[in-house]
Amino acid sequence: MSPESKKLFNIIILGVAFMFMFTAFQTCGNVAQTVIRSLNSTDFHGSGYTSMAIIYGVFSASNLITPSVVAIIGPQLSMFASGLFYSMYIAVFIQPLPWSFYTASVFIGIAAAVLWTAQGNCLTINSDEHTIGRNSGIFWALLQSSLFFGNLYIYFAWQGKTQISESDRRTVFIALTVISLVGTVLFFLIRQPDSENVLGEDESSDDQDLENESAQSTMGKAVDAFKKSLKLCVTKEMLLLSITTAYTGLELTFFSGVYGTCIGAVNKFGTEEKSLIGLSGIFIGIGEILGGSLFGLLSKNNRFGRNPVVLLGILVHFIAFYLIFLNMPGDAPIAPIEGTDSSAYIKSSKEVAIFCSFLLGLGDSCFNTQLLSILGFLYSEDSAPAFAVFKFVQSICAAVAFFYSNYLLLHWQLLVMVIFGFFGTISFFSVEWAAAAIVARGSDYRSI
């Protein structure tokens, strides 16, 4: 197998492994609050929003040390160990107890930080400056296929049900745990890429780099990775991209946890309200897959850079937010287990609700594929610290959003996203324009 084929194989295996893991985890996230609402009528008392806030809060703090972990044990073992903790979290729902539920939330927060830092590192070392856009698109399309499969099962299994029984819950979460474990094992199929032509490396310095790496102690690697993370936090480019990243954290919370809960709480949707949660997840996934595939294919011949894709993403999201504002009752995110009978500004439509799911997924893919691409290109030599900072900002904003989702009415949540989305788009444009200007002058792109 040629070096280029090996790298493409690794990207595909990486995407497929994440697809299995997140088929389980994202389906779990979509239905967690609905399942916990049904449990709160028993001895169990907890909140899916609170659990997600814990996960993303721990996730954000853990990103400060994850480059050191990846430097010591490598991306492959880092992703495998993280996958085991993801599977443990999902298994907790088979027979949930408050202490195990919240403890697992802490552990998966740490695991998620390691997983995504290792993923960014693996993506970068298997790409070069010509393939980073394509590989980001391939990975994103495969990852977001996860939204399709798990939610398709939820749609058919929960159709016509207004309450989730113990038997339904156990069947779903046993299956999801097994699926997550399959994805975890797949990480062992990733092969070590050849060192030549890796993004950010010069052939002439390969031997010297290898000698330096072998001479560097394991502890030295860990300390160096930690220092690089701190330095990257305060660079102009990372500060600007952090506004865009903050927006992706807020809208991640909305489409992965809040919006499905809103749909499931609208009593005017009738007996289909619970199965519509699964259908919403499917259409989010279709939007994500379409965006990832399209922008991955276009990246080879894209003469206009990343800005048009990000502009498309924010326009699509603004349309979705406006339709959701009109179509959903304001108290839907915080409705009790009985749901809400409140009226929206227009007659609540299932078709509009599902169309908005598609728009949320498409817009999210616009932002994330371009962020993965620009980070892999700008910080090709410091990919693990760069992706750790990216996930640090994204996860802390997601944690804040899951926390306020317990209290804020829908229109206030939408307003927060509109503000961050506008300024995040402007800041992304600034970084891309500066980068394009430097490339046009023939300077080193990474020097900005």
Side-chain angles (χ1 to χ4, degrees):
M1 186 181 289
S2 68
E4 188 58 40
S5 298
K6 185 185 291 185
K7 291 175 186 177
L8 182 59
F9 174 81
N10 286 345
I11 294 296
I12 292 172
I13 292 297
L14 181 69
V16 171
F18 269 71
M19 180 185 73
F20 274 94
M21 279 181 56
F22 282 84
T23 290
F25 182 69
Q26 295 202 84
T27 305
C28 177
N30 275 354
V31 303
Q33 182 69 2
T34 302
V35 167
I36 288 167
R37 278 177 175 172
S38 66
L39 286 170
N40 282 340
S41 58
T42 65
D43 292 335
F44 180 91
H45 296 286
S47 166
Y49 289 155
T50 302
S51 167
M52 287 295 180
I54 292 171
I55 289 172
Y56 283 101
V58 175
F59 184 3
S60 61
S62 300
N63 273 298
L64 296 174
I65 61 167
T66 51
S68 302
V69 175
V70 175
I72 293 171
I73 66 174
Q76 188 176 51
L77 279 178
S78 297
M79 291 187 289
F80 174 75
S82 300
L84 295 179
F85 282 103
Y86 269 76
S87 304
M88 180 188 75
Y89 175 80
I90 297 163
V92 164
F93 284 88
I94 298 170
Q95 188 57 55
L97 298 169
W99 69 267
S100 62
F101 178 51
Y102 290 125
T103 301
S105 300
V106 173
F107 281 120
I108 199 176
I110 300 169
V114 175
L115 178 74
W116 284 103
T117 300
Q119 176 271 331
N121 181 236
C122 186
L123 177 69
T124 304
I125 64 177
N126 284 284
S127 303
D128 57 36
E129 62 185 29
H130 304 295
T131 61
I132 183 65
R134 179 202 68 186
N135 290 348
S136 297
I138 290 172
F139 170 78
W140 195 255
L142 287 169
L143 166 64
Q144 298 304 338
S145 300
S146 61
L147 285 166
F148 182 81
F149 299 113
N151 286 295
L152 187 65
Y153 174 78
I154 294 295
Y155 174 69
F156 287 109
W158 290 5
Q159 197 161 25
K161 295 185 178 182
T162 56
Q163 295 293 324
I164 309 306
S165 69
E166 184 176 346
S167 174
D168 291 333
R169 186 191 74 244
R170 285 184 174 175
T171 301
V172 166
F173 286 102
I174 288 172
L176 293 181
T177 301
V178 172
I179 291 168
S180 178
L181 287 170
V182 170
T184 301
V185 172
L186 284 176
F187 288 126
F188 283 120
L189 294 179
I190 295 175
R191 304 175 185 183
Q192 181 67 30
D194 296 329
S195 60
E196 67 223 53
N197 297 327
V198 171
L199 186 60
E201 292 185 4
D202 296 321
E203 288 185 36
S204 60
S205 62
D206 278 353
D207 294 337
Q208 184 180 352
D209 288 345
L210 288 172
E211 289 173 11
N212 291 339
E213 186 175 337
S214 61
Q216 192 177 24
S217 68
T218 301
M219 186 55 69
K221 284 184 184 180
V223 172
D224 186 52
F226 180 72
K227 287 180 179 177
K228 284 181 178 178
S229 297
L230 295 180
K231 287 179 181 178
L232 283 178
C233 285
V234 294
T235 60
K236 175 187 173 184
E237 303 78 47
M238 190 59 79
L239 288 172
L240 285 169
L241 289 176
S242 291
I243 304 172
T244 318
T245 303
Y247 171 66
T248 65
L250 298 179
E251 55 97 5
L252 167 68
T253 291
F254 186 76
F255 82 75
S256 67
V258 177
Y259 190 56
T261 302
C262 291
I263 291 174
V266 179
N267 291 337
K268 292 182 179 179
F269 287 156
T271 57
E272 293 184 5
E273 61 184 25
K274 295 295 183 287
S275 62
L276 281 175
I277 298 173
L279 192 61
S280 169
I282 290 169
F283 274 84
I284 291 171
I286 291 172
E288 295 275 15
I289 295 163
L290 177 64
S293 304
L294 181 63
F295 306 135
L297 290 172
L298 290 179
S299 65
K300 283 186 176 181
N301 303 308
N302 188 3
R303 294 176 296 168
F304 304 104
R306 302 172 181 87
N307 284 347
V309 178
V310 171
L311 179 61
L312 173 65
I314 199 62
L315 292 176
V316 165
H317 269 177
F318 280 179
I319 293 169
F321 296 157
Y322 181 65
L323 291 175
I324 291 167
F325 172 73
L326 295 176
N327 193 52
M328 289 285 169
D331 62 346
I334 56 175
I337 187 174
E338 296 81 14
T340 178
D341 293 305
S342 302
S343 297
Y345 288 97
I346 61 174
K347 183 180 178 182
S348 295
S349 164
K350 290 177 282 190
E351 291 77 17
V352 172
I354 298 304
F355 177 62
C356 288
S357 299
F358 169 77
L359 294 180
L360 289 173
L362 179 61
D364 182 67
S365 72
C366 291
F367 277 93
N368 277 285
T369 54
Q370 303 316 298
L371 277 169
L372 287 175
S373 176
I374 200 169
L375 285 171
F377 200 76
L378 282 172
Y379 302 105
S380 58
E381 295 176 351
D382 298 313
S383 59
F387 279 91
V389 174
F390 165 59
K391 282 297 174 181
F392 170 77
V393 176
Q394 187 180 60
S395 54
I396 201 167
C397 290
V400 170
F402 271 114
F403 177 76
Y404 69 57
S405 296
N406 279 307
Y407 308 103
L408 287 187
L409 295 173
L410 180 61
H411 56 272
W412 293 116
Q413 297 191 37
L414 294 172
L415 178 62
V416 170
M417 289 189 291
V418 166
I419 293 170
F420 272 87
F422 176 79
F423 287 107
T425 302
I426 298 300
S427 66
F428 187 95
F429 284 2
S430 301
V431 175
E432 178 70 1
W433 283 329
I438 289 173
V439 169
R441 292 198 302 267
S443 303
D444 185 357
Y445 193 92
R446 296 182 299 277
S447 67
I448 68 169

